[in-house]
Amino acid sequence: MDCPHGRPGVGNISHFFISPEQVQKEQVIITGPDVTHISRVLRMGPGDVITVLDGRGNGYRVRLTVITRSQAEGIILEQFTPGGEAPLRVTLVQGLSKGDKMDIIIQKGTELGVSRVVPLHCRRSVVQLTPQKAGERQQRWQRIALEAAKQCRRALIPRVTAVMDLPSALDLLAPDTLALMPWEGERGRGLKGVLQGQSSREVVVFIGPEGGFDPAEVALARQRGVLPVSLGPRILRTETAGLAVVAMVMYELGDLGGP
């Protein structure tokens, strides 16, 4: 099921992301594969109007003026603030997982509205990445986030950071952040109760790898203000847990399920 359009009536069919540097005064320049999509797939030409987003929350309604094999140029008709973004910022700190699980988590997390994904190396992580491989994976995951943002009509592209260890990820926590760590060892605090009555606009969710978090990691996170929480009587897989928590957070504190 596709996500709802961010701004009905403006560029609902032709929706492209560019970098802010491609906006020059009243002109927009598009390069790369989108040029082929515009000219050959959509069969658009000078005079047609498209919607362009810069990935930082700015939208532009653009009339195409020139299309060549390498680039498309257009004049800005209107600048607007697109919809499609939740009223809170959610960061998913996701333990590295095997196979294509990270691809799916990042894709679906983008659809649900996460603002940032932090791939996390944990003590029990099975996946071991060299610095070069980690850099290649980061680039791949960022492309997945971009494509998912396009499909979902989001105004912002979630940032996928470099792979971090837990201390580095904990350093990202800002004051007044609601930081949650689902953990099967937690018995006294449930996620449902924590979310009720919350007003935080910044939420960080820590999810362990296939083997879960080591108790020492949980203790360190607790010392830094992270709340270990229970998700209920069933143990969820790593690729399920993060998406389930993000969905619950977005439902309770965000815009999931709203008009």
Side-chain angles (χ1 to χ4, degrees):
M1 177 177 172
D2 289 342
C3 289
H5 300 311
R7 191 171 189 263
V10 178
N12 287 337
I13 296 176
S14 309
H15 177 97
F16 301 94
F17 276 105
I18 60 173
S19 66
E21 293 75 22
Q22 290 172 269
V23 180
Q24 302 175 0
K25 296 184 178 179
E26 301 301 318
Q27 185 182 42
V28 168
I29 298 176
I30 300 172
T31 58
D34 282 341
V35 177
T36 301
H37 188 74
I38 290 170
S39 61
R40 297 186 181 180
V41 178
L42 298 179
R43 298 185 180 278
M44 303 182 82
D48 288 321
V49 177
I50 62 174
T51 295
V52 173
L53 305 178
D54 66 4
R56 295 182 179 178
N58 300 308
Y60 304 90
R61 190 164 169 260
V62 175
R63 186 182 304 280
L64 296 171
T65 56
V66 178
I67 298 181
T68 67
R69 295 184 64 180
S70 60
Q71 70 180 39
E73 301 176 11
I75 298 298
I76 296 174
L77 302 177
E78 175 192 8
Q79 180 176 349
F80 61 92
T81 301
E85 292 304 314
L88 78 161
R89 177 180 171 85
V90 177
T91 295
L92 176 60
V93 183
Q94 173 66 51
L96 291 173
S97 53
K98 298 181 293 184
D100 62 354
K101 293 177 184 177
M102 288 293 292
D103 294 4
I104 295 171
I105 291 167
I106 290 169
Q107 181 189 65
K108 302 309 177 186
T110 298
E111 293 178 22
L112 287 170
V114 300
S115 300
R116 180 173 57 180
V117 178
V118 179
L120 185 69
H121 178 76
C122 304
R123 292 189 178 187
R124 295 177 178 175
S125 293
V126 176
V127 177
Q128 303 291 329
L129 299 177
T130 64
Q132 178 180 349
K133 197 68 175 179
E136 294 171 354
R137 291 284 180 88
Q138 181 187 7
Q139 293 178 9
R140 170 184 170 80
W141 294 330
Q142 189 64 70
R143 288 195 299 269
I144 290 172
L146 169 61
E147 292 303 320
K150 286 182 179 179
Q151 180 272 327
C152 205
R153 307 280 176 166
R154 287 192 58 178
L156 299 176
I157 304 170
R159 179 190 171 210
V160 181
T161 73
V163 176
M164 298 185 185
D165 57 17
L166 183 58
S168 298
L170 290 170
D171 286 340
L172 298 177
L173 295 178
D176 301 321
T177 297
L178 174 61
L180 306 169
M181 178 177 278
W183 183 49
E184 64 274 12
E186 176 60 36
R187 297 291 183 265
R189 181 190 295 115
L191 177 61
K192 182 185 294 187
V194 170
L195 294 180
Q196 291 175 348
Q198 272 290 335
S199 59
S200 178
R201 298 292 87 190
E202 183 90 20
V203 180
V204 178
V205 178
F206 291 81
I207 301 294
E210 284 86 355
F213 283 116
D214 183 272
E217 292 174 319
V218 178
L220 174 62
R222 197 192 301 267
Q223 291 173 7
R224 298 289 295 273
V226 180
L227 300 178
V229 295
S230 170
L231 299 183
R234 292 173 294 282
I235 303 298
L236 303 183
R237 290 179 178 269
T238 183
E239 67 270 28
T240 305
L243 298 177
V245 173
V246 169
M248 286 185 271
V249 168
M250 284 295 185
Y251 178 82
E252 190 68 30
L253 306 179
D255 56 0
L256 194 62

